[in-house]
């Protein structure tokens, strides 16, 4: 029996792109580039529909770590800004914030649940960002995000950034219903090809992020003195992306992710 680590439809779509197209997207005026661009954007629409959001609220990233770094660096926090993160977070939800600001960790109780009394006390310090983890990769605990978001909104104006890399493969998240500002998701954990992740954010939140890379795909206009950035999400997608991986994330019926 042939064992495949990815669904056959994923492998087929990646192979088809490299066999019959292999053109760049959004750069050329020829048929192959148009075809690749259409397939690429069709995946963005599929991802958006799957998570109950708009297509221009989805940024393609290389992984969930990349998505979290885009937010942590793009918000341009001050060194003395406070960021709250949970003690059982993946270090990709801690280190980017530690590199940008001051981080305090929410304690974890002996049963693996977050200490919400400690969380309540930390919120009184008016954090700039609260970096939540939906499901811990350390303990497997699923945290009460809705309750925690309500606590945050009642007390602070903090930006809420959710790491859903571990939870998205196991339940169909409706991202708007979570009422957070940004969500990072791993594609490869959802049986998509390697090298793809998703960052969700409402357009106004994505627009406030300063790009960490500039160049091809990020601008509408460049002259000798100035440039005009493209609208979200494209100003955050610099250079040639993992086109085959993105196209391979969508099944042949074009109605769902390969999860």
């Amino acid at each position: 029996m042939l064992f495949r680590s990815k669904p056959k439809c994923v492998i087929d779509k990646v192979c088809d792109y490299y066999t019959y197209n292999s053109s760049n997207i959004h750069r050329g005026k020829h048929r192959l580039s148009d075809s690749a661009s259409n397939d690429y954007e069709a995946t963005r629409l599929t991802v958006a529909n799957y998570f109950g959001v708009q297509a221009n609220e989805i940024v393609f990233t290389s992984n969930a770590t990349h998505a979290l770094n885009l937010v942590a660096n793009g918000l341009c926090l001050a060194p003395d800004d406070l960021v709250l993160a949970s003690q059982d977070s993946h270090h990709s939800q801690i280190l980017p914030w530690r590199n940008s600001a001051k981080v305090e960790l929410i304690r974890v109780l002996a049963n693996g649940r977050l200490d919400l009394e400690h969380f309540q006390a930390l919120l009184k310090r008016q954090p700039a960002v609260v970096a939540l983890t939906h499901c811990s990769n350390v303990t497997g605990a699923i945290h009460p995000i809705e309750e925690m978001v309500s606590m945050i909104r009642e007390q602070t104006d903090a930006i809420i950034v959710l790491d859903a890399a571990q939870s998205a493969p196991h339940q169909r998240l409706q991202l708007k219903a979570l009422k957070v500002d940004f969500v990072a998701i791993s594609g490869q954990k959802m049986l998509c090809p390697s090298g793809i992740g998703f960052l969700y954010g409402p357009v106004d939140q994505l627009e406030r992020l300063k790009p960490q890379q500039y160049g091809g795909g990020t601008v509408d206009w460049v002259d000798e003195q100035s440039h005009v950035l493209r609208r979200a999400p494209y100003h955050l997608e610099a250079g040639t992306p993992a086109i085959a991986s993105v196209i391979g994330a969508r099944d042949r019926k074009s109605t769902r992710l390969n999860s």
Side-chain angles (χ1 to χ4, degrees):
M1 179 178 179
L2 177 63
F3 172 78
R4 299 185 183 91
S5 60
K6 299 291 182 183
K8 187 175 186 299
C9 61
V10 173
I11 297 170
D12 287 346
K13 294 204 79 169
V14 171
C15 290
D16 284 351
Y17 169 76
Y18 283 126
T19 301
Y20 302 112
N21 194 310
S22 202
S23 295
N24 208 340
I25 60 166
H26 306 325
R27 307 288 200 278
K29 297 297 183 183
H30 53 87
R31 180 181 60 82
L32 289 178
S33 179
D34 283 346
S35 176
S37 299
N38 290 339
D39 287 345
Y40 189 90
E41 292 303 324
T43 300
R44 194 190 307 272
L45 181 60
T46 298
V47 172
N49 288 339
Y50 183 84
F51 290 115
V53 300
Q54 299 299 312
N56 61 353
E57 297 176 320
I58 294 293
V59 180
F60 287 128
T61 65
S62 55
N63 44 57
T65 298
H66 179 202
L68 293 169
N69 275 271
L70 274 180
V71 181
N73 296 319
L75 288 175
C76 301
L77 299 174
D80 59 348
D81 281 335
L82 176 62
V83 177
L84 303 184
S86 54
Q87 199 173 33
D88 63 347
S89 292
H90 191 284
H91 51 265
S92 293
Q93 182 68 315
I94 296 176
L95 297 182
W97 302 107
R98 189 179 289 173
N99 187 54
S100 303
K102 180 171 57 178
V103 176
E104 292 283 347
L105 298 179
I106 308 160
R107 286 196 297 259
V108 175
L109 299 171
N111 63 2
R113 303 300 174 181
L114 293 180
D115 186 340
L116 294 185
E117 290 186 3
H118 184 232
F119 180 53
Q120 182 88 5
L122 290 174
L123 288 176
K124 294 179 180 178
R125 297 172 56 184
Q126 296 299 304
V129 174
V130 180
L132 299 177
T133 294
H134 199 180
C135 176
S136 171
N137 71 300
V138 179
T139 66
I142 299 175
H143 297 309
I145 296 302
E146 293 82 358
E147 180 182 356
M148 297 179 76
V149 168
S150 295
M151 293 169 67
I152 297 165
R153 297 302 189 202
E154 288 173 2
Q155 298 188 56
T156 77
D157 294 323
I159 297 294
I160 305 175
V161 184
L162 181 66
D163 178 0
Q166 305 298 332
S167 58
H170 302 289
Q171 56 181 300
R172 187 168 183 174
L173 301 178
Q174 293 300 292
L175 300 184
K176 284 191 181 297
L178 295 173
K179 299 181 180 179
V180 300
D181 298 294
F182 298 100
V183 182
I185 295 170
S186 168
Q188 65 94 10
K189 288 184 172 65
M190 301 183 71
L191 300 181
C192 299
S194 299
I196 178 175
F198 315 117
L199 173 64
Y200 157 74
V203 171
D204 60 333
Q205 294 289 10
L206 293 178
E207 291 283 4
R208 71 184 293 182
L209 296 180
K210 180 180 179 181
Q212 299 307 296
Q213 294 179 307
Y214 293 85
T218 64
V219 291
D220 282 327
W221 175 263
V222 180
D223 59 32
E224 293 179 353
Q225 285 80 35
S226 63
H227 65 273
V228 177
L229 286 175
R230 294 187 72 187
R231 67 190 187 279
Y234 302 105
H235 73 301
L236 299 172
E237 297 180 351
T240 299
I243 301 170
S245 292
V246 170
I247 292 173
R250 183 172 55 95
D251 78 1
R252 290 190 177 276
K253 295 181 181 179
S254 304
T255 58
R256 59 181 175 86
L257 289 181
N258 288 308
S259 59

